[in-house]
Amino acid sequence: MSGNIPLLDAALARTRTEDRAALVGYLPAGFPDVEGGIDAICAMVEGGCDVVEVGLPHSDPVLDGPVIQTADDIALRGGLRIRDVVRTVGEVYGRTGAPVLCMTYWNPVDRYGVERFAEDLAAVGGAGCILPDLPVEESGVWRAAAEKHGLATVFVVAPSSRDERLAKITAAGSGFVYAASLMGVTGTRVSVGAQAADLVARTRATTGLPVCVGLGVSNAAQAAEVAAFADGVIVGSAFVLRVLDAGADRAAGLAAVRALAGELAAGVRRA
C-alpha cells in the first residue's frame, strides 16, 4: 500500500468546500498504552476530527509542554517502540478511514532508517509526517523518501519566521503547513493570541497549501476563533488532558475525548 497523501488532500479540500476549517487532533502513540491510545485516537475521529496526528514519543521533547511530556513519559515507560507507533497509525486508519499523520522529532526517524520509516508508514496507510525540528535545508533525503512512498511532508512555521524563510519552508512542504501560533512550547492557552492570524496571512502569501494552526486551542470558543482565519485547527494537549484526568477509567477517558472532539467540531463549524 502506498501512502495516503491523496486522502489528506481530499479531506482538506472537503472542509474547504464546506466553508469551514478542518479539525486536526493529536495524541501520542502508546498513551495510556498502545491499545488505549488506538482507541482514544479513533474516538477523536468518531467525535468529529477530520485528520489525526499520532505522536512518536521522545525522551527529550523540547518543543512540547508538560502535558504532552507527561504522556510521552507514560508511553516510553510502557515500553513503546517505533513499530507500535506504525501499528497505531495503521489501526486508526483501518478503523476510521481518516487521514493519519505521524508527528515526530527527526532523531528517531534517522536512527530507524529514513527509507525504512517512510516505507513502513506508507505500508499501513499513513498520510505523512510532521517534522517540527527538521530544517528544510537538511530535509532532502526525507522528502525524497516521502515522495517515493506517497507521504506528505508537513513543516512547521512560527511567528518569528521572516517572509523569505516562510517561502522557503512552504515551497518544500506538502499536505499542509503547520503554523505554530505562539512562540515557545506546546500547551493549552487562555487565549490563542493575535500572532496566529498574522502568521497565517503571511504564510498564505507564499503558498497554496492549507495553513493549519496549532499550539494552544483547548475549547470550542478558541476553535471558532482560529477557524475564522485558518484552514485547520490543531488540538493536542487538551485531548491528552482528558485522558490523564480520567486516570484508570478507560471508558470515561474515551467518552471525554469523544465529547471534546464534538465540542471542537461544533466550534470550527460555528466560525
Side-chain angles (χ1 to χ4, degrees):
M1 183 188 296
S2 60
N4 255 323
I5 188 172
L7 183 66
L8 174 63
D9 291 343
L12 295 172
R14 184 186 71 250
T15 60
R16 194 157 53 242
T17 62
E18 294 173 1
D19 197 27
R20 66 173 178 90
L23 177 60
V24 183
Y26 165 92
L27 210 65
F31 167 72
D33 52 42
V34 175
E35 298 298 336
I38 292 168
D39 289 342
I41 298 168
C42 288
M44 288 159 56
V45 178
E46 292 161 7
C49 285
D50 302 289
V51 178
V52 285
E53 304 171 6
V54 173
L56 195 163
H58 194 272
S59 57
D60 185 26
V62 293
L63 299 177
D64 293 309
V67 172
I68 292 177
Q69 285 184 21
T70 298
D72 280 5
D73 185 58
I74 289 170
L76 292 171
R77 283 192 285 110
L80 185 81
R81 297 291 182 264
I82 288 182
R83 64 176 176 270
D84 300 313
V85 179
V86 172
R87 180 186 157 217
T88 297
V89 170
E91 290 274 348
V92 173
Y93 168 62
R95 283 169 53 176
T96 68
V100 186
L101 298 105
C102 179
M103 187 167 190
T104 177
Y105 292 94
W106 177 244
N107 181 256
V109 176
D110 193 35
R111 292 181 62 183
Y112 188 80
V114 175
E115 174 69 22
R116 178 187 174 201
F117 187 80
E119 182 177 8
D120 288 358
L121 189 62
V124 296
C129 257
I130 303 167
L131 299 157
D133 66 336
L134 178 64
V136 66
E137 293 85 358
E138 300 172 19
S139 66
V141 172
W142 164 257
R143 285 190 287 127
E147 184 174 352
K148 175 181 174 183
H149 293 286
L151 299 170
T153 298
V154 178
F155 287 109
V156 178
V157 297
S160 59
S161 305
R162 297 180 181 273
D163 291 350
E164 182 181 338
R165 180 69 181 164
L166 287 176
K168 189 169 188 177
I169 293 171
T170 58
S174 55
F176 63 90
V177 182
Y178 189 127
S181 66
L182 293 162
M183 298 295 289
V185 299
T186 64
T188 59
R189 314 282 177 173
V190 175
S191 169
V192 294
Q195 282 184 318
D198 176 66
L199 177 59
V200 169
R202 291 196 299 118
T203 304
R204 279 183 174 155
T206 72
T207 182
L209 290 172
V211 183
C212 301
V213 171
L215 308 190
V217 171
S218 60
N219 57 51
Q222 290 176 342
E225 180 186 349
V226 174
F229 59 79
D231 300 300
V233 180
I234 302 170
V235 181
S237 294
F239 282 117
V240 173
L241 274 172
R242 294 303 190 281
V243 179
L244 286 172
D245 288 346
D249 190 338
R250 295 298 178 86
L254 293 178
V257 164
R258 195 177 290 108
L260 176 60
E263 292 165 16
L264 295 166
V268 300
R269 284 166 172 78
R270 197 166 66 228

